[in-house]
Amino acid sequence: MPELRSGVRRRRRRLATVTQNITAGTTNKRSEHLVGNYVKNRAAAAKEAAAAVRLNKPRRRRKLLTIVISDSPGKGRGVAGEVGMADSGGLSSIKANEQEEEGNTAPFPDRVQVGGSPLYKVERKLGKGGFGQVFVGRRVSGGTERISGPGATEVALKFEHRNSKGCNYGPPYEWQVYNTLGGIHGVPKVHYKGKQGDYYVMVMDMLGPSLWDVWNSSGQSMLSEMIACIAVESLSILEKMHLKGYVHGDVKPENFLLGQPSSPQEKKLFLVDLGLSSKWRQGASGHVEYDQRPDMFRGTVRYASVHAHLGRTASRRDDLESLAYTLVFLHRGRLPWQGYQGDNKSFLVCKKKMTTSAEVLCEFCPAPLKQFIDIVVNLKFDEEPNYSKLISLFEGLLNPNPAIRPINTDGAQKVGQKRGRLILDDEDEGQPKKKTRMGVPATQWISVYNARKPMKQRYHYNVSDERLAQHIERGNADGLLISSVASCANLWALIMDAGTGYSNQVYELSPVFLHKEWIMEQWEDNYYISAIAGASNGSSLVVMSRGTNYCQQSYKVSESFPFKWINKKWREGFHVTSMATAGTRWGVVMSRNSGFSNQVVELDFLYPSEGIHKRWNKGYRITSTAATNDQSALILSMPRRKPVDETQETLRTSQFPSTHVKVSLKLLSLNITNPYVYYKRCQMGLIRKNGRKICILLPFALEEPCLDKGEPVRRLFENKETV
């Protein structure tokens, strides 16, 4: 008998979210119920402490659990932050490292000598980055009058404590990147590095102000020519970096530095802070594999690409999208998504980026900047950017005399060269490239089809609460059971067929989203959740069946997509078997013995076409779907037993596909010429966009010749049934 097991309860004045986490099974019939999440960020803790001090209240020493809403990226490093900008960092490692730095009480050495370097005296502090602190180092004796190179009198010393997250396994990861990239065009060279006391130290050339400093001292705006010079030289630097197999991962104004003032390099641009860099290339020519981890974020919220927000593997397109936002910010002085606060800041910023068209983003900007953004935000994951074409976009904004340009562009290929113009002209003459991001998403229905054996099937949609029982009872009388349910505009859709394999079935239409008590009662009778749907008004339809292969089941209700919980359950041997939403709330059901060997998730604000195709190529197939008005989530699974026909296709239509459910489907594994087809089985999930609807039908059926050749497929679907 399932037993309710209470989790930890922590009271707070205002509970942000209430989540449910229920587990039941036949082998271990215990359940878990997480009543609430208690989250206090550092800002709230500091505010509370300050208030206590003002009121002169004695505070008892106790252990305080502080949960920071900040996800660290791979390789054990934090999220890179910003210096001198209050709201630009968002999920910032500067903030994430504050407590860490307070705990690292070891003083900085007065003098430094590492890796065979001269002896340097540590002087004033230059700044604090995401992965350490930078000081001026002055050579104690000897040296030259040169401002750069290993013999320079004055250098930059970057310190990183041995207990910082980036040094858990030895020297900072950034050292490895500098070994490969240091000294290439636009990347400063590390002259010496080593460990002294509790700190890892890098000795580098001293540089000048950042682009943010220049922007701030120029009235927080830059002229079009300056923007064009920055674009051309930045593209040149990124191209050289990408040719070495790396992406920077945190392109922003603070990480672009000019040379020292009144020096030959004062107009030369450098790209620094390689702590978030990662490889986009495997081996000599292979691209890293695509993946998505929605709980992983790399970069700075204001300038990060949408793909970085969504946790997708970094590639060259991400650097270029971040550069686009950097250029717009430097020109306009502000980006449309600035000002968001709170724990869901990254989500809100990402949503705003997705829904802001290039026309709106580049209002009052020069035309080449809009063209640049149109290109880079629609690049594919493994697509090689056409750097020559991108550079040539800014040709008309540059002064024809390179000597008087505000920033040197020597590293860039000659702007407007014949090769770049030819590439641009050739592409313009051909078919226009399909855009994947166009601002406000369109509303559409999506049908997903899999191969199935012939069977009797029936579907209903736009069903009210009052008529739901009538349709289900009629189907049960004909030997059909529910295989999938969905909802749109508080009306229900369901698919019933004779091929579910279930022995019995019960359902409940409840005014609450996933009625816990009823579900647990059915678990006691060996029923398992086989389909769920939620309506906009918060009600739900739960279908539970006997005869499934499941041996244990768990579900969770939360205010946001619960990827961390899903990931935890994956490690425990569960897989997602059903999903639904009700308003903004997500409901996810996970089961053991589901028949899947592995699962991945595609989470997006639009239909993630590229990600789905890449998963298909690896053998994954869509098995669960759900969406709120903002986000859509698709679960793709790897079956343990390889199906006879692995084909899966999607069809997107503007209306519910009742009159053309894949009638025009291309012939799949069978050589069919007969226009009459047989559809075997489909399951339905629902995606809603902006208050409207997108329906996903899955899995589905391969078409075969109809046995009754006098019965056209249109008549079959007008009767909402196949025989």
Side-chain angles (χ1 to χ4, degrees):
M1 172 178 179
E3 174 185 330
L4 181 64
R5 183 171 64 197
S6 298
V8 179
R9 293 174 180 259
R10 293 187 178 92
R11 297 183 180 275
R12 62 186 297 183
R13 187 170 300 174
R14 295 175 63 185
L15 188 60
T17 59
V18 178
T19 61
Q20 291 181 334
N21 181 5
I22 314 291
T23 306
T26 57
T27 59
N28 181 17
K29 295 186 178 180
R30 305 193 68 180
S31 62
E32 300 174 357
H33 182 202
L34 178 61
V35 176
N37 288 333
Y38 180 77
V39 179
K40 179 183 289 185
N41 58 27
R42 292 191 179 92
K47 184 176 180 181
E48 179 181 327
V53 172
R54 288 195 301 269
L55 295 174
N56 294 320
K57 292 184 178 180
R59 299 177 63 198
R60 183 181 304 172
R61 291 177 60 87
R62 62 175 182 172
K63 293 182 179 179
L64 177 62
L65 175 63
T66 302
I67 302 175
V68 183
I69 310 302
S70 176
D71 299 322
S72 60
K75 303 182 180 71
R77 309 197 62 85
V79 181
E82 302 182 344
V83 179
M85 303 187 70
D87 69 327
S88 62
L91 302 178
S92 169
S93 68
I94 293 179
K95 298 178 182 178
N97 287 341
E98 285 177 357
Q99 184 178 11
E100 180 182 289
E101 290 170 2
E102 292 172 1
N104 298 335
T105 57
F108 290 98
D110 294 329
R111 300 194 173 198
V112 167
Q113 187 174 26
V114 293
S117 73
L119 182 63
Y120 296 101
K121 181 182 178 182
V122 180
E123 296 187 344
R124 68 184 185 280
K125 183 176 179 178
L126 290 175
K128 180 171 61 176
F131 307 112
Q133 302 189 49
V134 183
F135 291 81
V136 173
R138 183 169 297 278
R139 187 163 176 163
V140 173
S141 62
T144 66
E145 295 299 323
R146 296 181 58 188
I147 63 172
S148 62
T153 303
E154 199 173 63
V155 297
L157 303 174
K158 185 169 185 178
F159 292 87
E160 188 164 353
H161 196 275
R162 61 183 176 84
N163 292 334
S164 67
K165 292 182 179 180
C167 302
N168 289 337
Y169 303 100
Y173 168 74
E174 191 174 16
W175 286 16
Q176 175 186 335
V177 182
Y178 270 111
N179 287 340
T180 303
L181 301 180
I184 69 171
H185 175 71
V187 178
K189 186 176 182 179
V190 176
H191 301 300
Y192 307 100
K193 57 182 180 293
K195 185 179 179 182
Q196 181 166 324
D198 291 327
Y199 290 94
Y200 290 99
V201 185
M202 286 195 302
V203 181
M204 311 171 67
D205 288 334
M206 280 281 291
L207 296 176
S210 70
L211 290 183
W212 188 89
D213 296 324
V214 176
W215 168 84
N216 198 36
S217 62
S218 304
Q220 298 189 342
S221 180
M222 287 185 177
L223 298 177
S224 297
E225 183 183 4
M226 183 70 167
I227 296 298
C229 289
I230 294 172
V232 168
E233 190 64 5
S234 299
L235 284 167
S236 175
I237 296 172
L238 290 174
E239 180 182 15
K240 304 298 189 300
M241 182 178 290
H242 295 168
L243 287 174
K244 289 287 187 178
Y246 280 88
V247 293
H248 184 273
D250 195 23
V251 173
K252 59 182 178 181
E254 292 83 346
N255 285 339
F256 283 108
L257 273 61
L258 295 173
Q260 290 194 54
S262 303
S263 74
Q265 293 186 333
E266 67 175 343
K267 296 201 303 183
K268 185 174 181 180
L269 196 63
F270 295 88
L271 182 58
V272 300
D273 200 351
L274 306 183
L276 283 179
S277 297
S278 60
K279 290 185 176 181
W280 69 264
R281 185 169 58 199
Q282 288 179 331
S285 59
H287 200 288
V288 296
E289 290 189 1
Y290 171 88
D291 196 11
Q292 184 179 18
R293 289 289 306 273
D295 60 336
M296 303 293 284
F297 173 77
R298 300 172 67 91
T300 301
V301 170
R302 180 182 293 181
Y303 306 102
S305 71
V306 166
H307 304 290
H309 282 283
L310 295 172
R312 294 191 174 116
T313 306
S315 65
R316 292 167 288 186
R317 65 181 179 181
D318 299 299
D319 280 348
L320 299 184
E321 185 173 340
S322 294
L323 176 60
Y325 299 147
T326 295
L327 297 174
V328 174
F329 172 81
L330 293 174
H331 185 71
R332 296 189 58 181
R334 188 172 179 83
L335 292 168
W337 42 84
Q338 287 181 234
Y340 288 112
Q341 300 295 334
D343 296 338
N344 64 339
K345 173 179 177 178
S346 182
F347 168 82
L348 296 174
V349 170
C350 183
K351 178 183 175 182
K352 186 67 175 178
K353 288 176 181 177
M354 288 290 290
T355 57
T356 302
S357 64
E359 289 77 13
V360 174
L361 181 61
C362 296
E363 189 177 11
F364 308 119
C365 292
L369 195 50
K370 175 188 173 299
Q371 293 176 277
F372 178 73
I373 291 176
D374 268 332
I375 294 173
V376 299
V377 300
N378 289 291
L379 289 173
K380 295 181 180 179
F381 170 70
D382 52 2
E383 182 177 353
E384 180 179 4
N386 188 336
Y387 301 97
S388 297
K389 173 183 175 180
L390 296 175
I391 289 174
S392 67
L393 293 175
F394 298 93
E395 175 185 10
L397 300 178
L398 294 178
N399 191 300
N401 184 2
I404 61 176
R405 293 174 183 171
I407 290 181
N408 288 342
T409 57
D410 299 338
Q413 296 178 2
K414 186 177 179 182
V415 178
Q417 63 175 296
K418 184 176 180 181
R419 183 170 68 90
R421 286 200 302 266
L422 287 176
I423 294 174
L424 181 62
D425 294 341
D426 289 344
E427 291 191 1
D428 289 342
E429 290 175 1
Q431 292 294 328
K433 185 176 179 180
K434 182 180 179 181
K435 291 185 178 182
T436 58
R437 284 167 50 189
M438 302 176 64
V440 179
T443 300
Q444 56 189 192
W445 294 80
I446 305 173
S447 307
V448 183
Y449 300 89
N450 286 333
R452 290 287 179 178
K453 292 181 180 180
M455 63 183 175
K456 187 176 182 179
Q457 185 178 69
R458 184 180 300 163
Y459 71 86
H460 306 275
Y461 65 100
N462 292 340
V463 179
S464 63
D465 293 354
E466 295 76 15
R467 299 192 59 189
L468 184 64
Q470 173 187 347
H471 290 298
I472 294 176
E473 291 171 3
R474 184 180 302 170
N476 292 159
D478 293 338
L480 305 180
L481 294 176
I482 299 172
S483 59
S484 184
V485 292
S487 174
C488 181
N490 299 323
L491 297 174
W492 305 101
L494 65 153
I495 293 177
M496 306 184 69
D497 61 55
T500 61
Y502 306 142
S503 59
N504 199 9
Q505 201 168 67
V506 293
Y507 73 96
E508 185 196 47
L509 183 60
S510 171
V512 298
F513 189 45
L514 304 188
H515 185 196
K516 178 188 66 177
E517 288 75 13
W518 182 83
I519 291 174
M520 296 186 67
E521 290 177 3
Q522 306 311 315
W523 276 341
E524 293 181 16
D525 293 334
N526 292 326
Y527 285 91
Y528 286 93
I529 300 172
S530 55
I532 58 174
S536 301
N537 59 12
S539 62
S540 64
L541 175 60
V542 179
V543 181
M544 301 185 70
S545 306
R546 280 181 179 172
T548 69
N549 293 323
Y550 309 144
C551 63
Q552 193 175 6
Q553 202 164 64
S554 177
Y555 79 84
K556 184 179 182 71
V557 175
S558 65
E559 294 294 331
S560 60
F561 184 73
F563 179 79
K564 289 185 178 180
W565 177 79
I566 292 174
N567 195 41
K568 173 179 175 288
K569 286 296 181 181
W570 279 341
R571 294 193 296 268
E572 297 174 3
F574 288 81
H575 292 98
V576 177
T577 50
S578 296
M579 288 198 306
T581 62
T584 60
R585 306 178 74 194
W586 293 81
V588 179
V589 180
M590 300 188 71
S591 310
R592 274 185 171 150
N593 198 30
S594 61
F596 306 134
S597 60
N598 196 21
Q599 277 187 336
V600 293
V601 62
E602 282 294 322
L603 185 67
D604 206 326
F605 291 85
L606 300 173
Y607 174 72
S609 177
E610 182 186 15
I612 290 174
H613 280 82
K614 288 191 176 294
R615 305 296 195 182
W616 278 346
N617 293 338
K618 295 293 183 181
Y620 289 90
R621 295 297 177 263
I622 302 171
T623 54
S624 295
T625 61
T628 63
N629 290 341
D630 295 322
Q631 284 184 303
S632 61
L634 295 92
I635 298 294
L636 295 95
S637 308
M638 184 78 72
R640 290 188 182 277
R641 298 178 60 182
K642 188 175 181 180
V644 177
D645 193 313
E646 302 180 34
T647 304
Q648 187 175 72
E649 289 190 4
T650 61
L651 171 68
R652 286 183 275 176
T653 57
S654 59
Q655 301 293 332
F656 184 86
S658 58
T659 58
H660 55 283
V661 185
K662 278 306 223 182
V663 174
S664 59
L665 180 67
K666 293 182 180 179
L667 305 184
L668 302 179
S669 60
L670 299 179
N671 183 16
I672 308 170
T673 57
N674 195 315
Y676 305 122
V677 297
Y678 223 161
Y679 285 87
K680 274 61 73 181
R681 182 181 181 221
C682 59
Q683 293 178 338
M684 182 182 298
L686 183 67
I687 290 185
R688 293 181 293 273
K689 294 284 189 197
N690 300 326
R692 293 175 288 181
K693 54 193 179 240
I694 292 182
C695 181
I696 292 210
L697 305 173
L698 60 114
F700 83 42
L702 168 70
E703 57 184 35
E704 294 177 1
C706 183
L707 299 181
D708 183 357
K709 301 194 177 187
E711 184 73 2
V713 67
R714 180 177 298 276
R715 188 179 305 170
L716 291 175
F717 278 96
E718 286 174 351
N719 294 332
K720 304 182 181 65
E721 184 173 340
T722 59
V723 180

